[in-house]
Amino acid sequence: MTFVVTEACIRCKYTDCVDVCPVDAFREGPNFLVIDPDDCIDCAVCVPECPVSAIYAEEDVPGDQQDFTPLNAELARQWKPITRSKPALPDADEWADVRDKRAELRR
């Protein structure tokens, strides 16, 4: 089992979760983060750090977000690791409560 970053992260990309990850499992895309399932050790320390509640244990991913499990695995193979926090996207606070953001995901 692993943890999964879901839709709430899109266009926000808060990186509070990155600093606490003991195995550097996060990967960074243009406007989204993912967790590499091969590196994640299921420690859950990232979950409470996410200000938009975008991170779930694989078995707890909401039904309408299930497609993010394979998406995290796919994008983790393409994107580079992020090991330190950095400022959120400039308009992150405006996007934090927006739903249905899948079309906004940039690869």
Side-chain angles (χ1 to χ4, degrees):
M1 188 197 69
T2 186
F3 280 79
V4 177
V5 181
T6 60
E7 184 175 26
C9 182
I10 298 172
R11 295 220 45 183
C12 293
K13 201 168 85 168
Y14 295 105
T15 59
D16 307 55
C17 53
V18 172
D19 277 338
V20 298
C21 183
V23 294
D24 297 333
F26 283 89
R27 305 293 180 262
E28 180 184 23
N31 68 350
F32 185 57
L33 298 174
V34 297
I35 295 173
D36 187 330
D38 293 332
D39 289 345
C40 181
I41 59 169
D42 191 28
C43 67
V45 296
C46 58
V47 176
E49 298 301 317
C50 181
V52 292
S53 301
I55 304 171
Y56 292 87
E58 186 175 6
E59 72 268 8
D60 295 332
V61 173
D64 67 338
Q65 303 283 300
Q66 291 289 317
D67 56 320
F68 281 90
T69 300
L71 183 65
N72 271 241
E74 173 193 337
L75 295 176
R77 290 189 299 272
Q78 299 171 20
W79 291 348
K80 294 184 181 194
I82 178 173
T83 59
R84 292 199 174 126
S85 64
K86 54 173 71 171
L89 295 175
D91 58 351
D93 292 341
E94 295 169 30
W95 285 93
D97 294 323
V98 174
R99 300 291 173 246
D100 300 319
K101 301 189 281 187
R102 282 177 173 82
E104 299 291 328
L105 177 61
R106 292 187 5 226
R107 294 174 179 245

